[in-house]
Amino acid sequence: LFIAEGNYLFPHARISVFSVKGEFLTSFSHQDMSGPRGVAIHGDNLYVTDTGVYSIFHFKIATDFPLIAKRGSFGQQIGKFNSPRNLAVSNNGDVYVTEYYNHRVQIFDSSLLHPRSLTQQLIDHPQDIKLTADEVYVLCDDNRCVHVFSHAGERLRSLISRGLQMQVTFPIYFCLDSAENIIISDYFTDRIKIFTKAGNLITTLGEGGHLPGMFHYPRGLALTKELSLVVVSWNENFCLQIFSCL
């Protein structure tokens, strides 16, 4: 498990590494990192968005995590960023990046070169992104919906339901299970909420608090290969919790 820690308001900016049981293994950083946000892995390649320096970092997963490349700077042109949030990597190694204030998703090759936009349509404040073999899921917090595109950029559908809009206040991270159910961390209600791919609420996990099973501003989440759900929240400090198979 690779977790981005810190932003420009904090004295450290690093990536911490944990086992799938939640045991701390190591951490690493780079002198140019300021506000690491999203993390994605493809093979032995680790990609990290950094909102503080408007860039993407490409590290090799090895003992000392050497930096392979750093790409990007502030701007609106293709290849530049304004608040890069999260990212995902396709099966062929392309890197998809959400940009919150440029209202778009950019796609790079595995070397973070040859950028292009997923679609010419504006995407309203995209936060998180997940990929399947055929589709691109983009979570937007302003209208509390998930837009689904083809990898060619065609908008296929938007998952906007009364259940999703009424039950979620500020979604910032999500993941998909094997049935493409949508698991969302709802920052301001201190809960994890699970919806069908049609946007209907299935169940809710947790409540506000600092005890095990409770959340305080839940943020990142992911499913392991064993389908255990990993949730990172603020709590009194940063807290990592792992829940049994869904």
Side-chain angles (χ1 to χ4, degrees):
L1 304 174
F2 291 80
I3 297 176
E5 291 188 67
N7 58 39
Y8 57 89
L9 298 176
F10 287 80
H12 66 263
R14 66 189 179 196
I15 306 299
S16 292
V17 186
F18 295 82
S19 74
V20 293
K21 296 181 179 180
E23 302 161 329
F24 176 77
L25 300 177
T26 189
S27 66
F28 68 96
S29 186
H30 187 273
Q31 61 184 7
D32 292 339
M33 288 176 63
S34 170
R37 178 73 180 245
V39 176
I41 296 170
H42 187 257
D44 59 356
N45 297 292
L46 175 69
Y47 300 95
V48 180
T49 55
D50 193 306
T51 58
V53 293
Y54 310 102
S55 300
I56 307 174
F57 290 81
H58 176 194
F59 298 97
K60 184 67 70 176
I61 299 177
T63 303
D64 55 350
F65 296 96
L67 178 69
I68 305 301
K70 173 194 169 191
R71 311 285 188 201
S73 59
F74 177 78
Q76 296 182 341
Q77 301 95 330
I78 292 296
K80 296 182 180 293
F81 301 106
N82 189 355
S83 194
R85 293 296 174 97
N86 290 293
L87 69 172
V89 186
S90 68
N91 291 336
N92 66 1
D94 285 344
V95 181
Y96 291 59
V97 184
T98 59
E99 279 190 88
Y100 194 75
Y101 291 119
N102 278 337
H103 305 286
R104 67 188 177 194
V105 172
Q106 290 196 69
I107 306 172
F108 299 78
D109 65 18
S110 60
S111 298
L112 300 180
L113 298 173
H114 306 108
R116 65 189 189 275
S117 183
L118 171 65
T119 174
Q120 297 305 309
Q121 305 171 50
L122 291 179
I123 304 173
D124 193 18
H125 292 107
Q127 283 276 17
D128 202 0
I129 186 168
K130 294 293 181 287
L131 309 178
T132 67
D134 301 315
E135 296 178 332
V136 180
Y137 287 71
V138 181
L139 173 68
C140 301
D141 64 25
D142 268 13
N143 51 17
R144 290 167 287 172
C145 74
V146 176
H147 298 297
V148 185
F149 299 87
S150 70
H151 285 274
E154 178 187 1
R155 188 190 295 266
L156 302 177
R157 59 191 182 277
S158 293
L159 307 181
I160 307 175
S161 72
R162 182 173 178 81
L164 188 60
Q165 292 190 318
M166 294 296 291
Q167 295 286 342
V168 176
T169 58
F170 188 51
I172 53 175
Y173 292 90
F174 80 112
C175 60
L176 302 172
D177 68 11
S178 58
E180 296 184 19
N181 292 318
I182 303 164
I183 306 169
I184 294 176
S185 60
D186 194 6
Y187 192 74
F188 286 137
T189 65
D190 299 321
R191 284 162 175 78
I192 305 300
K193 298 174 181 178
I194 304 176
F195 297 84
T196 67
K197 59 183 178 181
N200 299 314
L201 181 67
I202 298 173
T203 190
T204 297
L205 302 178
E207 59 182 306
H210 300 283
L211 298 175
M214 296 180 174
F215 305 113
H216 184 62
Y217 298 146
R219 295 177 65 84
L221 74 170
L223 285 174
T224 68
K225 292 180 179 179
E226 295 77 21
L227 297 183
S228 294
L229 180 66
V230 180
V231 181
V232 176
S233 58
W234 285 99
N235 282 33
E236 294 178 340
N237 294 296
F238 285 104
C239 175
L240 184 153
Q241 297 188 68
I242 301 176
F243 296 83
S244 59
C245 298
L246 298 175

